[in-house]
DNA sequence: TATTGTTATACTCTATAACTATA
DNA sequence: TATAGTTATAGAGTATAACAATA
């Protein structure tokens, strides 16, 4: 298939997507760093913001990392004052990881900045363009998830390795 | 501003973008791993694919990492047989990092898979949607770069730190 | 003097395996 | 026996600082 100069080929579009992804992750990493946070610790905080107090196991599943990794992240966030390890009322093996006031303030600020950045990047767009883009990105996400599952098996099935 | 259920708010759009970014980077990391590569080493290889043989300094600038870091990445890629350190004809301090046949084969495959994935994700789209999305992503990249420069100074200016 | 790349050191994120305390 | 979290160990990516060889 041919694409004229003014037309966006699938590869052009893909390249813009990757370029923007890269810019975003760098930009966000800098924002986090300004608050004394790293991307991984911020991600953990964000899950707590959305889920409320949960165990480290739950966090490990949410972030898709090993439980051991969560121990380190929580250690660091306890150290920096963003979270607390509270004893789990029904299970003496587990902790309930809870946002401190400082942690809650940090996630509240993130939520605000997230919305502000979204408005900066996409607020001035014609509603049509925004709708089309949202449709395209959602379709791509679905398609990519399908491809992923086809090639590597469903996420929960990850171990079988059956061809 | 209010957004009806069927309308995409700027935040909705932003969230889909971030979700897709995350899926993509995980998916690509798995592809790379299958070829015995990591994301950082793949990125380096990709620069060589596009630029031809260059010095480690040039690579450091292209990847936006420290020269020290490039030393490690090149060490690993020499070890795995993807690149060679050739003596620089005009500067005995420097090396020209060069793709081996194996490295060139790997980047050729990446280019093919890149185009295939783009076609999978965006090939079946109405041309209008693709054009609108490309426009939106390009605008967002430009806007983000502007914001970044406003807040942190031009990239090349990065050290001054003058308010 | 300035630049290219390396040695030395350190921090973050990640993983697996073995272990302790509980369930 | 299985689960929650930790200790131990390791590899990758990143950084700065001090140093070598060369420009």
């Amino acid at each position: 298939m041919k694409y004229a100069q003014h037309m966006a080929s699938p590869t052009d579009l893909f390249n813009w997507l990757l370029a923007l992804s890269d810019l975003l992750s760098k930009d966000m990493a800098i924002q986090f760093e300004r608050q004394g946070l790293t991307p991984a610790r911020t991600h953990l905080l964000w899950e707590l913001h959305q889920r409320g107090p949960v165990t480290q196991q739950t966090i490990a599943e949410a972030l898709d990392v090993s439980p051991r990794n969560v121990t380190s992240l929580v250690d660091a966030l306890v150290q920096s004052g963003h979270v607390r390890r509270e004893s789990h009322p029904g299970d003496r093996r587990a902790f309930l990881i809870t946002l401190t006031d400082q942690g809650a303030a940090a996630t509240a600020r993130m939520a605000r900045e997230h919305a502000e950045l979204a408005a900066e990047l996409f607020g001035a767009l014609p509603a049509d363009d925004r709708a089309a883009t949202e449709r395209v990105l959602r379709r791509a996400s679905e398609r990519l998830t399908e491809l992923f599952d086809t090639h590597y098996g469903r996420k929960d099935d990850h171990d079988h390795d059956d061809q």
Side-chain angles (χ1 to χ4, degrees), chain A:
Chain A
M1 201 181 298
K2 293 259 211 58
Y3 296 96
Q5 285 93 2
H6 63 287
M7 289 184 64
S9 74
T11 297
D12 288 340
L13 181 48
F14 193 29
N15 286 340
W16 276 113
L17 176 61
L18 292 174
L20 182 53
S21 292
D22 196 53
L23 278 172
L24 275 171
S25 59
K26 286 184 179 174
D27 188 78
M28 291 191 303
I30 289 176
Q31 305 283 10
F32 300 156
E33 198 175 8
R34 297 211 146 188
Q35 301 184 47
L37 288 167
T38 62
R41 290 171 201 172
T42 305
H43 192 176
L44 197 162
L45 243 38
W46 192 246
E47 290 296 330
L48 290 183
H49 173 72
Q50 299 190 297
R51 293 166 184 257
V54 289
T55 64
Q56 295 189 183
Q57 283 294 333
T58 302
I59 294 171
E61 286 156 26
L63 304 191
D64 195 24
V65 298
S66 67
R68 176 59 185 91
N69 200 348
V70 174
T71 300
S72 304
L73 296 174
V74 170
D75 283 349
L77 287 166
V78 166
Q79 181 67 33
S80 60
H82 291 91
V83 308
R84 246 189 333 260
R85 278 191 174 96
E86 301 204 329
S87 54
H88 191 298
D91 187 340
R92 279 185 297 172
R93 294 170 306 178
F95 294 116
L96 277 183
I97 310 304
T98 309
L99 287 175
T100 61
D101 288 348
Q102 183 192 338
T107 54
R109 169 144 73 149
M110 280 171 214
R112 186 165 22 87
E113 289 178 347
H114 182 79
E116 283 169 5
L117 183 53
E120 281 280 5
L121 297 181
F122 305 119
L125 250 43
D128 285 0
D129 280 2
R130 196 160 50 223
T133 303
E134 200 247 6
R135 213 159 50 227
V136 169
L137 297 183
R138 192 169 49 206
R139 281 293 309 278
S141 292
E142 287 163 2
R143 190 79 193 93
L144 189 55
T145 302
E146 276 174 31
L147 283 173
F148 199 88
D149 289 350
T150 303
H151 290 318
Y152 310 110
R154 265 51 97 264
K155 280 195 177 67
D156 302 322
D157 239 53
H158 202 268
D159 303 295
H160 299 181
D161 226 76
D162 48 8
Q163 296 288 36

